[in-house]
Every structure is written in C-alpha cells, then in structure tokens.
C-alpha cells in the first residue's frame, strides 16, 4: 500500500509540474501582452481543471489509506464526489474544445457551416468555455443528492448485515446517478473523436491534392494536421484508460474491502491528466520553446 502511495505522489507531482507550467507560461504572456490567444486560453483552462482533478484524486487516495472511516460518513464523500465529478467533466469538455478548435483552424473544408464556425471560433471561445463550466457544475449537482450517511454505512460496512429496503433503494439510486454522469462524458469524447476523424479526412484530401500537383507532402499544412492529430489521438487513448479506471474506482465503493482496487483505479486515472500535459507542451511551439529555456537555465544552475 505504501508503494502504491509513493507512485501516486510521483504521478501527482509530474502532473502538477506540467499543468502548472502551461498555466504560468500562458498567464505571464497574457499579462505582458494584455491579450491571450484562443488556443492559450483553452490550454490554460484545461491545465487548471487538470490541476484540481489531480488534487482531488490524490486527496481521495490519502483519505482511503490514512482515514478510511471517512467512507462511513456521507458529508465528506459528498464533497469529494462533487469536486471529482466537476473537475472530471471540466477537463473532458475543455479537451473537446481543444480538439474542435484544432479541427476548425487546421482542416480544409468548404461547407458553409464549417466556414461560418471557422471565422467565428476565436470570438466564441470565451463563451464556450464559460458554458462548459456552467454545464459541468449543473451535471455535478445530482451527485450530492443520493449520498447520505445511511447509504455510505450500508456500502462500506465491514460486517455482514441485513441490507434494508431503504439501503437498497439508495444504493440503486446512487448507481444510476453515477452511470448517468459517466455516460455524459461520452458526449465531449464523441466530439473529440469526430474532430479526429475529420482531421484524418482533411489530411487525406490535402495529401492527395499535393500529390496530384507533384508537390512535396511535408508542407506546413501537413505538419499542422499531424501535430493536431497527435494531440487529439493521445487524448482519446489516455481518456479511454482514464475512463475505465474511473469506473473501477467508482464501482469499487459499492463493495467492502476493496480499497486496493480503488487505489489501483486511481493510479491508472492519474496517468491521463499527468502525461497529456507534457504531450501538449511538446506539441505547442511557444510552450516547447519555454520549456527548452527553462531546462537550459536549470542545467546552467546545476553546473
């Protein structure tokens, strides 16, 4: 158990480092220029949501190991479940915004709706992000309704007792709520997946056009397509692993003596918000250059 906690702290530290770096670089640039690009606003919002998601997951790990009795009372768990659901939905919706933004800015289509969105996306981004925050808060509120002290005692009891009808009803209500909320994250995930598939189509059409014109395929547009696709596909794969781990951690609360399964689920869940930030840093020119300067300063300081 101690080894798992050390791993969790390591993943948490890397994730905090990467997401804090993204937030600081973009915020400092915002202060200096007094304006912020749409892509930087999305990345900063995504980094902030993942910063708090990492904090919630690690806090849940520590409570599970050091203060397991908290799971027998509903008040603390209501707070943890609310913030985990909130930050979970925030980072998924913000990631979907990033995927859609890449698609609109890089893809080449001539459909009137696509062109209308392409021309207006920069002005729409602040409102879309605020809408994601409001929607995530609204979605997270039902988590607090079915979690009360009696239900948590029924779920985490260490003894074989007769489960009353009230406990069964509360347990069924909580299960349906969690399933419903988990399924809602498939909406932004589907939007990211559609954006990725359309980027592939756009790249294929662009590459075919370049070949017909006997022009080299590795032009700036092709490079932009490839960079955006790497960021989106890494999100898709990591989110699938995170989603499965989240389901393991959540469903394990229904059974006694499953703390180890919960921690393993949360260890896997930590990989997504921790590692994807570094993929975004490497895929963004400004962040990549800033990280290079930082590493050079650290290297000089150590020497």
């Amino acid at each position: 158990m101690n080894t798992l906690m050390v791993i969790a702290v390591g993943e948490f530290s890397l994730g905090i480092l990467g997401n804090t770096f993204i937030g600081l670089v973009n915020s400092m640039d915002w202060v200096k220029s007094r304006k912020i690009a749409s892509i930087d606003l999305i990345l900063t919002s995504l980094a902030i949501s993942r910063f708090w998601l990492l904090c919630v997951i690690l806090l849940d790990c520590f409570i599970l190991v050091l203060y397991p009795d908290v799971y027998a009372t509903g008040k603390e768990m209501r707070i943890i479940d609310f913030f985990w659901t909130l930050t979970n939905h925030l980072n998924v919706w913000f990631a979907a915004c990033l995927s859609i933004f890449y698609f609109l800015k890089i893809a080449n289509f001539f459909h009137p709706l696509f062109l209308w969105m392409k021309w207006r996306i920069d002005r729409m981004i602040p409102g879309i992000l605020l809408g994601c925050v409001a929607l995530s808060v609204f979605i997270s509120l039902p988590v607090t309704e079915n979690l009360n002290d009696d239900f948590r005692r029924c779920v985490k009891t260490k003894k074989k007792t007769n489960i009353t009808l009230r406990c069964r009803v509360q347990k069924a209500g909580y299960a349906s709520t969690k399933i419903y909320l988990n399924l809602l994250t498939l909406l932004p995930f589907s939007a990211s997946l559609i954006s990725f598939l359309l980027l592939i189509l756009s790249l294929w059409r662009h590459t075919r056009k370049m070949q017909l014109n006997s022009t080299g395929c590795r032009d700036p547009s092709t490079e932009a397509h490839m960079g955006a696709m790497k960021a989106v596909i890494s999100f898709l794969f990591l989110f699938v692993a995170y989603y499965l781990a989240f389901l393991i951690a959540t469903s394990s609360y229904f059974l006694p003596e499953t703390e180890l399964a919960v921690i393993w689920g949360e260890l896997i869940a930590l990989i997504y918000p921790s590692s994807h930030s570094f993929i975004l840093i490497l895929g963004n020119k400004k962040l990549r250059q800033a990280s290079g300067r930082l590493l050079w300063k650290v290297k000089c300081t150590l020497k």
Side-chain angles (χ1 to χ4, degrees):
M1 190 71 73
N2 291 333
T3 303
L4 296 180
M5 288 305 302
V6 171
I7 296 174
V9 172
E11 291 179 338
F12 169 81
S13 301
L14 287 175
I16 291 296
L17 179 64
N19 288 292
T20 302
F21 177 80
I22 294 174
L24 285 177
V25 171
N26 288 330
S27 297
M28 291 172 63
D29 187 61
W30 188 359
V31 172
K32 289 180 181 179
S33 62
R34 296 186 178 181
K35 61 181 180 179
I36 184 170
S38 297
I39 183 65
D40 294 338
L41 182 59
I42 298 173
L43 289 173
T44 302
S45 302
L46 184 58
I48 293 173
S49 68
R50 287 176 173 171
F51 176 93
W52 290 112
L53 177 62
L54 287 164
C55 292
V56 172
I57 295 177
L58 187 68
L59 176 62
D60 194 56
C61 286
F62 273 111
I63 290 178
L64 188 65
V65 174
L66 301 178
Y67 306 101
D69 291 340
V70 170
Y71 285 93
T73 59
K75 183 178 180 180
E76 291 80 1
M77 284 310 305
R78 280 197 296 268
I79 298 174
I80 292 173
D81 281 342
F82 171 79
F83 282 105
W84 192 341
T85 305
L86 174 62
T87 54
N88 179 42
H89 277 273
L90 277 175
N91 90 82
V92 178
W93 281 104
F94 288 157
C97 290
L98 181 63
S99 302
I100 295 172
F101 183 83
Y102 280 143
F103 162 66
L104 291 175
K105 285 294 185 180
I106 296 173
N108 295 311
F109 293 101
F110 298 98
H111 191 277
L113 178 60
F114 173 82
L115 294 176
W116 182 85
M117 295 179 65
K118 187 182 185 72
W119 293 332
R120 291 166 175 79
I121 186 62
D122 286 309
R123 288 178 291 177
M124 296 168 60
I125 285 298
I128 291 174
L129 295 178
L130 288 175
C132 290
V133 174
L135 181 61
S136 299
V137 172
F138 178 77
I139 291 174
S140 305
L141 289 177
V143 176
T144 63
E145 295 180 0
N146 294 319
L147 295 178
N148 53 47
D149 294 350
D150 293 336
F151 171 65
R152 276 298 176 184
R153 292 191 186 99
C154 292
V155 171
K156 301 303 296 183
T157 182
K158 303 296 182 180
K159 299 179 181 179
K160 294 182 178 179
T161 58
N162 294 325
I163 301 178
T164 64
L165 176 61
R166 181 181 178 184
C167 285
R168 288 197 298 269
V169 170
Q170 291 168 352
K171 185 173 180 178
Y174 176 72
S176 61
T177 299
K178 296 299 287 185
I179 292 172
Y180 171 72
L181 294 178
N182 283 325
L183 289 176
L184 286 179
T185 57
L186 296 179
L187 295 176
F189 177 81
S190 299
S192 297
L193 180 59
I194 293 172
S195 298
F196 174 72
L197 295 176
L198 290 174
L199 275 172
I200 293 178
L201 176 60
S202 176
L203 177 61
W204 176 78
R205 293 174 58 180
H206 175 74
T207 303
R208 186 180 179 185
K209 180 180 178 181
M210 298 295 291
Q211 290 174 343
L212 291 175
N213 295 332
S214 300
T215 308
C217 295
R218 303 300 290 185
D219 64 315
S221 180
T222 303
E223 296 291 344
H225 275 82
M226 296 300 294
M229 288 169 58
K230 289 177 183 177
V232 177
I233 196 171
S234 61
F235 159 70
L236 294 174
F237 277 114
L238 289 170
F239 180 75
V240 168
Y242 167 82
Y243 187 81
L244 295 175
F246 180 79
L247 288 178
I248 292 173
T250 302
S251 60
S252 296
Y253 288 135
F254 290 105
L255 302 172
E257 307 293 349
T258 54
E259 286 80 1
L260 189 61
V262 175
I263 293 179
W264 271 110
E266 293 180 346
L267 284 178
I268 300 174
L270 281 168
I271 296 175
Y272 159 61
S274 299
S275 59
H276 194 244
S277 59
F278 291 96
I279 297 174
L280 294 177
I281 291 172
L282 294 175
N284 185 278
K285 183 179 180 180
K286 181 177 72 174
L287 295 175
R288 186 171 63 250
Q289 292 175 346
S291 63
R293 291 192 299 268
L294 178 62
L295 291 174
W296 181 79
K297 290 180 180 179
V298 171
K299 184 179 179 180
C300 293
T301 301
L302 293 176
K303 287 184 177 179

